[in-house]
Amino acid sequence: MTLFVIEIFAPLLIDSGDAAPFLSLVGLLVVLVAVAELLRLQPEAIEPLASLLSAVARRLRLRTRPRRAPRQARRWIPAAAVLRRLRVLVAHVVVIAGFAASAWLATTWVTTRVAPGWGEPCGRPLELRVLTSAENRDIIRRLADEFAVSPENNRGCRLAHITLSTQSSAEVVRQAFLREWSGPSSVGTDSPVATLLGARPDVWLPASTAEVEHVLALRPRDAELEVMGSLAYTPMVFAAPKRYRQRIESQLPQAGSPSWRDLIDAAVRSGLTVARPDPGLSVAGLLATVDLYRGIPRGNTQALRDLERRITSLGTPVSGLRDLLCTIRTSGASTTAVIVTEQAWLDYERGEPLGDGCPRPGGRPPVSYHAFHPADAHGADHPFVRVTWGKEADPRRDEAIDRWRRWLAERLASAGGYRSTAGQAVGDLPPIIEPEVPVRRFRGQELARTLEEFPSARQAVTLAFIVDRSGSMNKPTAENVSRLDRARELIDASLRLLGAADSAGVAAFPAEGEPGGPRLHQIQPVVPFSGENREEAAKRLAAFDGRGSGHMPLYDAIEEAARGLRGRGVNQAVVVFTDGERSTRGGIDAAELARRLAASADRPRVFVVAIGERECDEPDITRLEEHDVMSRCYAASESTTDQLIGWLFADLRAEGEAR
């Protein structure tokens, strides 16, 4: 019976949360079972035992009473019968003690061997820092929450706590590993990895093994990356509105499966715009671009530019994969085909959330999409990467990482519309899914080539970034940093998206008070933006003194920045980072600024990134719109850094193409 009880209850208790009280209950149950067994097997032992206890009780009671009557003759119980019964009783007591001891030993063994920590107070769980892309953030966050309360991680005490951080730029992640996750300045805006600095990850969950190979190609000194296998697979697909499906298929070559180029050509001829997430901000966008560039010989810049001109997204934010799909869902756009992952397309079709700004709509999207699988499409294999810093092994940490990897590998493919690592559809997927697709992985050298050639292939821009450093820019934002520091963070993110075909300069206003009237303080002159110039501009931006003592109204600063762009390049624009609060009176008004810009042969556009309490509603900013000076205003508080800068550059390059 003892073995039966332990066999039934022990496995249940090991999987429970607080096991110690229940294990004690098991011990008590074992004792009760043993007593019941005694009563069943030796019922004749009850009567003499009861008589003996009754006699003892009478003697004790008589001793406490006064003697009022003569003592009666004693009644003796035969000694032989008592001894015989006592031997039986002692035997059963020994059996009961043995059962109790075995229960106690079982409890001790389980609490010390099976689940260490049950018999002592819970300490702080081990923290596992996990880095993933913003495009996979929602599913990884959900699975991390489920793992936190699962039996694999909750054995009386929580063994590990997962802290999730996200970054979708492959180049930013590579620079972070190469710089040992720290920058040369404490300001936080002096390098392309500024927004990623912080706690170093223990686990990296990139979309593709190619990202790991891209990092390892430059041999990071302090980080050891161990690829522990793939978790799931999802191919890149060409998704078009269903009502255009037959029209597209009629334009495709009849022989064989269509290629990327076939589908793009057919979509354009069918009247669709083809969109893709920004490769500079989206890993999915980068992988899609790798596929598109694969068939073009290296160095054929003109062919790349012709291709990029066909992949436009006028008015569509393309900073990230889910931003792009969210825009289509919320706007009801029905004339845009998109290059995305199959998993993201499934989330769109099933009405799943597409990020924090695009929750579940409560039904199917207004425009349903069909996914084509190009014959030359590759996919994301989602590897699990253990990161060891400084070659310092930690057995407890490694054991927690192994447990997290095993748990994640069993659930990721079926939890969010991914395929198995063999390319097979798993889980509850709609019949529109092809049951199996070939597994084709990207390679690190392909990422390197695309990152090198993409900046020259896209529409070039010539920009003048100017930042307001008046006294009001020292006020704090909701993130508890100054408005000026927020502006510098946004400019730094903008510098990351500039390529060799682009030209840009950075200036601040007002300048130091010197003779000569209002002027800009030049941080970096307008020059072609090679990698070396980008690094130099970032360092100067972090180091410049934010306390301007001169006087320069906003409109004068815009006009002077526009003058500095003359003859510098194509597709000119002034990008102003300001809180819009008037701190200096005088200068030209909005109407005069509009007249002077219209008279310029280059006709530069003006974009405003507003950082403040009223943001785009500040009077000095709204007047720019009233006089057709400003192309667009972006409120810094309404989006993340990557989203805002993605929207800005989508407008800069797309509108430049339209002009």
Side-chain angles (χ1 to χ4, degrees):
M1 181 61 72
T2 303
L3 295 177
F4 173 75
V5 171
I6 293 178
E7 179 73 19
I8 293 298
F9 284 98
L12 299 177
L13 298 175
I14 290 173
D15 289 339
S16 67
D18 190 6
F22 292 101
L23 287 174
S24 301
L25 179 60
V26 168
L28 178 60
L29 288 174
V30 170
V31 173
L32 293 176
V33 169
V35 172
E37 187 71 4
L38 167 65
L39 299 179
R40 186 181 69 85
L41 295 177
Q42 299 290 338
E44 67 275 7
I46 300 175
E47 183 177 352
L49 179 61
S51 300
L52 179 61
L53 294 176
S54 178
V56 172
R58 281 198 301 271
R59 289 190 62 186
L60 293 175
R61 191 165 57 249
L62 289 173
R63 285 185 178 181
T64 59
R65 292 179 179 179
R67 296 183 179 179
R68 298 180 179 178
R71 181 179 301 175
Q72 296 180 354
R74 296 181 178 178
R75 299 173 61 184
W76 294 94
I77 301 175
V82 171
L83 290 176
R84 187 167 59 252
R85 300 303 183 186
L86 283 176
R87 282 197 300 268
V88 175
L89 179 63
V90 169
H92 282 87
V93 168
V94 171
V95 171
I96 292 172
F99 279 128
S102 67
W104 177 80
L105 289 174
T107 301
T108 303
W109 181 82
V110 171
T111 57
T112 56
R113 299 283 184 178
V114 178
W118 271 354
E120 57 188 36
C122 292
R124 295 186 62 183
L126 177 72
E127 182 182 11
L128 284 184
R129 298 177 293 266
V130 177
L131 174 70
T132 189
S133 67
E135 292 151 343
N136 293 328
R137 175 190 58 198
D138 292 341
I139 181 64
I140 298 299
R141 177 191 291 164
R142 175 164 66 85
L143 291 175
D145 291 342
E146 293 175 6
F147 174 75
V149 297
S150 69
E152 288 85 350
N153 188 53
N154 219 321
R155 301 177 178 177
C157 296
R158 184 170 295 186
L159 304 180
H161 171 73
I162 294 177
T163 301
L164 192 64
S165 60
T166 58
Q167 178 55 248
S168 283
S169 170
E171 188 61 21
V172 168
V173 173
R174 184 177 75 150
Q175 290 296 327
F177 277 116
L178 294 179
R179 295 170 184 258
E180 301 175 14
W181 229 259
S182 61
S185 170
S186 61
V187 175
T189 55
D190 62 339
S191 75
V193 297
T195 60
L196 201 65
L197 303 181
R200 302 188 296 188
D202 302 300
V203 174
W204 179 26
L205 300 176
S208 170
T209 303
E211 298 173 66
V212 188
E213 296 174 356
H214 184 54
V215 172
L216 292 176
L218 294 182
R219 300 179 181 275
R221 292 176 298 174
D222 198 46
E224 180 181 336
L225 305 181
E226 177 188 358
V227 179
M228 303 176 70
S230 295
L231 302 172
Y233 183 77
T234 185
M236 303 301 300
V237 298
F238 186 88
K242 280 188 176 179
R243 67 187 186 91
Y244 281 84
R245 178 181 176 180
Q246 291 184 349
R247 197 180 306 179
I248 291 174
E249 289 176 341
S250 67
Q251 303 279 348
L252 294 173
Q254 296 300 318
S257 300
S259 66
W260 283 113
R261 179 163 296 188
D262 294 334
L263 288 165
I264 292 173
D265 290 345
V268 172
R269 286 196 296 268
S270 299
L272 291 173
T273 296
V274 180
R276 164 212 57 198
D278 192 307
L281 296 172
S282 163
V283 171
L286 175 60
L287 297 178
T289 307
V290 170
D291 254 358
L292 297 176
Y293 284 12
R294 186 177 285 108
I296 299 176
R298 180 182 287 273
N300 191 341
T301 304
Q302 187 57 49
L304 295 177
R305 288 179 177 173
D306 291 341
L307 173 64
E308 287 294 338
R309 272 196 288 270
R310 311 186 77 180
I311 306 173
T312 58
S313 51
L314 297 178
T316 302
V318 290
S319 57
L321 177 64
R322 297 184 181 277
D323 292 311
L324 178 58
L325 292 173
C326 180
T327 299
I328 292 173
R329 173 188 287 177
T330 55
S331 65
S334 60
T335 58
T336 303
V338 292
I339 302 173
V340 293
T341 64
E342 182 186 65
Q343 189 274 333
W345 162 70
L346 271 174
D347 277 356
Y348 169 86
E349 284 295 313
R350 296 186 298 186
E352 297 292 336
L354 298 173
D356 295 335
C358 203
R360 187 187 299 271
R364 297 187 63 82
V367 180
S368 186
Y369 273 65
H370 172 76
F372 294 91
H373 287 78
D376 51 350
H378 290 61
D381 59 337
H382 295 90
F384 186 102
V385 183
R386 187 205 314 265
V387 184
T388 303
W389 296 93
K391 301 185 183 300
E392 296 180 0
D394 183 345
R396 182 172 173 236
R397 165 188 167 276
D398 289 344
E399 192 275 334
I401 291 175
D402 290 340
R403 191 166 58 251
W404 164 236
R405 180 189 62 80
R406 288 193 299 269
W407 193 90
L408 195 61
E410 293 174 358
R411 290 163 176 81
L412 180 61
S414 60
Y418 296 92
R419 293 176 179 267
S420 72
T421 54
Q424 297 170 336
V426 295
D428 183 19
L429 298 181
I432 54 177
I433 290 293
E434 294 190 14
E436 187 171 359
V437 296
V439 174
R440 302 189 185 99
R441 295 180 175 87
F442 293 95
R443 299 300 175 194
Q445 59 267 31
E446 296 176 315
L447 260 65
R449 179 216 166 172
T450 302
L451 288 168
E452 177 186 346
E453 295 188 328
F454 174 70
S456 299
R458 62 189 170 183
Q459 173 64 32
V461 291
T462 305
L463 307 175
F465 296 108
I466 60 173
V467 56
D468 182 356
R469 61 171 180 177
S470 59
S472 59
M473 289 290 286
N474 292 316
K475 294 180 181 179
T477 64
E479 294 79 16
N480 204 28
V481 298
S482 72
R483 297 174 181 178
L484 181 60
D485 282 342
R486 175 67 170 140
R488 291 197 286 189
E489 177 189 357
L490 292 166
I491 296 175
D492 184 78
S494 300
L495 298 179
R496 298 202 312 263
L497 298 185
L498 294 171
D502 303 318
S503 295
V506 184
F509 69 95
E512 297 294 335
E514 294 181 2
R519 63 185 182 85
L520 292 173
H521 169 71
Q522 289 294 334
I523 299 172
Q524 172 86 358
V526 178
V527 292
F529 237 63
S530 63
E532 181 179 347
N533 287 336
R534 183 187 303 110
E535 290 288 330
E536 184 63 26
K539 291 178 181 178
R540 291 183 181 182
L541 179 65
F544 94 96
D545 185 358
R547 294 171 296 178
S549 59
H551 301 282
M552 190 173 200
L554 174 63
Y555 303 154
D556 285 33
I558 295 174
E559 197 271 332
E560 184 172 332
R563 251 196 342 261
L565 289 174
R566 291 177 184 171
R568 297 286 185 178
V570 299
N571 194 13
Q572 297 180 359
V574 177
V575 184
V576 188
F577 297 82
T578 180
D579 58 5
E581 293 187 13
R582 176 184 288 272
S583 58
T584 303
R585 297 190 177 277
I588 62 175
D589 59 15
E592 177 62 18
L593 174 61
R595 189 190 66 78
R596 295 185 184 186
L597 293 180
S600 170
D602 295 312
R603 298 287 300 275
R605 293 169 291 151
V606 177
F607 296 85
V608 175
V609 179
I611 312 166
E613 294 178 0
R614 299 181 59 181
E615 295 186 316
C616 293
D617 291 332
E618 283 290 341
D620 277 6
I621 296 177
T622 57
R623 289 191 190 97
L624 294 176
E625 186 174 20
E626 291 169 2
H627 290 83
D628 295 326
V629 174
M630 182 175 63
S631 295
R632 186 173 175 181
C633 178
Y634 309 86
S637 66
E638 295 181 359
S639 56
T640 66
T641 296
D642 281 354
Q643 286 175 330
L644 190 152
I645 299 305
W647 294 337
L648 170 64
F649 271 80
D651 289 339
L652 285 170
R653 298 191 191 279
E655 290 188 21
E657 183 71 29
R659 286 158 61 105

